[in-house]
Amino acid sequence: MKPARNHAVITVALCFIVALLEGVDIQSAGIAGPGIAAHFQLDKAEMGWVFSSSILGLLPGAFIGGLLADRIGRKTVLIGSVLLFGAFSIVTSMAWDLPSLLSARFMTGLGLGAALPNLIALSSESARETGRATAVSLMYCGVPLGGATASLVAMLGGAEQWQLVFHVGGWAPIIVAPVLYFFLPESSSYQATTRSQNAQPRTGIADGLFGRGQAMPTLLLWIGCFFRLTVAYMLLNWLPTLLAGQGFSRSEVGTVQTLLNLGMASGSILAGVLLDRWNAIKLVALIYGGMLLALLGLGVSASFVNMLIAGFIAGFFVLAAQLILYALAPQFYPSAIRATGVGSAVAIGRLGSMSGPLIAGQMLASGTGVAGLMLAASPGILAAAASVIVLLRREERKLALRIA
């Protein structure tokens, strides 16, 4: 029992460090947005493409990363992903024009996307069945803490030194990769599945995702991830620029962004702990209702203090909702297809995260205000909540039939 517990602690701790670095790189473009816009003389529509280019890379990265992880191992793919997003974060700081900037951000996103399904699978598979959501939540809270770190780096460097956050987000992963090679345990679940597959045919992708009753859980997870990430990335990428446009100073923008990320970290941990211990449907209803109220608060807040409060609350509920999806996803797939299943849900979610900044950029370019933008996000939140509740109710009915 003790070696298994140590295995889980080491796995979650190292995955947390990678998630922290991922959080730096995911939010670096949004945080450095004002500096990038000034340096390259980009308008809001062009900045929408800058924000979405890395997210475009996340989509194939998540699917390919999950697929490879079920073939050659979670650990191997994770290390390669870390090296990829670290290297191209450094290349981002060296961009000389808009095409080179977009290319570097796309390749960064490819590495970030491939890392996430492996972080989720490794964390979930390292824990006991009753603690898997907690393990995923402890790992994933590193993402917003990484975003808070990026905000602090940007505050120290200023808009004129926008490259600094990309250097931090690039060199740190390259340093961490050897640590993962020597100390990160491979998933015991993956190893057991690999041994059993030596005598059995490998499960096909289509059959794993859509066969044997998997079609409905897969589609509902996809819907939830798509709409929830549309809202999240609209907020993460555009909030610093919107606050600066409302007249807030650079330090005030950085403080709101930091509180947003601290709220996200708190929401991630609490949601995972409650998911392992409380009624999941009630928890989902509470979290998504809180998201609606928090976005309303961001839309109407005018003072700095109110914006701080609204930012923390919005971050809390936005990431709590995302954590619920990521913690549930591994539970709907067997080990042989688990990383692929999680990767496919993450990839579909990235379609939403790519759409969010682009839609927001076009709306803002046409004169839509902050309140109108937050109001436009509400239908997506309701659709995501409905899909998760239907999924959970379906699983409750299946469990009741098995017990009967």
Side-chain angles (χ1 to χ4, degrees), residues 307-332:
M307 190 62 75
L308 285 176
I309 296 171
F312 180 87
I313 295 174
F316 182 95
F317 285 113
V318 163
L319 209 76
Q322 186 165 327
L323 187 279
I324 292 290
L325 288 166
Y326 287 165
L328 287 174
Q331 302 178 27
F332 295 108

Side-chain angles (χ1 to χ4, degrees), residues 146-167:
T149 302
S151 297
L152 293 174
V153 171
M155 288 170 65
L156 293 173
E160 65 280 0
Q161 297 182 34
W162 58 271
Q163 295 97 334
L164 179 61
V165 70
F166 295 110
H167 280 293

